[in-house]
Amino acid sequence: LLVSESCPRPRRSAALGMQDSDTSRTRMKQAARAAVNTRAARHALEKCIRGVLNTPVSDRTPEQLVLLSQHPGEATTLAATMEQSRTRKARATERREEREDPPEVTVANIAALVDLIREAGTFVLHTGAGVSTAAGIPDFRGEHGVWTMQAKGRAVPMPSFECAAPTGTH
C-alpha cells in the first residue's frame, strides 16, 4: 500500500492506543517540572532575602530594600526563622560550655554529698559523657560522636586513652 501525502500519518502513540495516557503522562511531567522550578525559584528568593537580612540595616542597598518591600511576608517569616535558629544555637553552645562553681560552693556541695553517702551506706554513682569528654576522651553518641560519624561513613581518629588527662571531676 502506498500512503498518500495527503493522508495524515497516525501518531505512534495513537497507533499503539496510548494517546490518552501519553497526554496524561506529559501533563504529569509538566506539572512535576513546574513544581521543581517553583521550588527552585522560592529557594533562590529565600537565599536572596536571607542575604539581605544578614546585612546590617545601615549597609543595605536600595535594591535590597526594594526586595524586602516586595516580599514582606517572606522577609518576616525568614527573619523569625533566622532568629529562632540563632537562639537555638546560642542555647546549644551555652549547654556545651563547662562551668565551674566557686570554691566555697564546691566545698559545701562535697560536704553535703559526703553526708548523703555516709547516711546511705551503699550507693551507685552514674556519670555522663561530659566527665570523659572534658578529659580528652571522645564523645560516642553526640552530634560529632564516634558512633555518629562512623554511621555517616566518616573516618574518626581515636586518641590514645592513656593520654587522657583527668579533670577535677575525676
Side-chain angles (χ1 to χ4, degrees):
L1 281 177
L2 291 173
V3 176
S4 120
E5 289 188 30
S6 63
C7 294
R9 300 186 97 189
R11 287 186 14 199
R12 182 172 176 259
S13 59
L16 297 174
M18 301 169 85
Q19 186 172 9
D20 291 337
S21 64
D22 189 38
T23 303
S24 174
R25 183 169 184 239
T26 301
R27 281 194 300 263
M28 287 177 25
K29 282 183 170 184
Q30 288 171 343
R33 272 192 216 103
V36 167
N37 291 338
T38 300
R39 203 171 316 126
R42 187 182 76 243
H43 287 300
L45 175 64
E46 287 177 359
K47 183 178 179 180
C48 289
I49 293 173
R50 275 193 195 96
V52 173
L53 293 173
N54 282 326
T55 303
V57 177
S58 60
D59 295 344
R60 292 180 185 165
T61 65
E63 292 83 12
Q64 290 174 325
L65 296 173
V66 168
L67 178 68
L68 293 179
S69 68
Q70 288 175 339
H71 304 282
E74 290 88 346
T76 302
T77 301
L78 285 171
T81 302
M82 291 167 66
E83 183 57 34
Q84 287 174 346
S85 178
R86 279 191 288 269
T87 302
R88 194 170 40 254
K89 286 178 183 177
R91 276 194 219 126
T93 300
E94 191 176 299
R95 281 192 302 265
R96 285 191 298 263
E97 197 174 287
E98 189 172 337
R99 294 181 185 86
E100 193 171 311
D101 289 330
E104 60 274 4
V105 172
T106 302
V107 169
N109 286 341
I110 291 171
L113 179 61
V114 167
D115 290 342
L116 287 171
I117 292 170
R118 283 189 180 136
E119 290 173 17
T122 59
F123 72 100
V124 176
L125 178 66
H126 294 274
T127 66
V131 171
S132 301
T133 55
I137 297 171
D139 180 18
F140 281 80
R141 296 182 186 263
E143 182 181 342
H144 300 290
V146 173
W147 294 337
T148 306
M149 299 309 263
Q150 286 176 344
K152 293 179 179 179
R154 297 187 184 153
V156 181
M158 289 297 292
S160 171
F161 289 101
E162 292 83 21
C163 296
T167 66
T169 305
H170 287 113

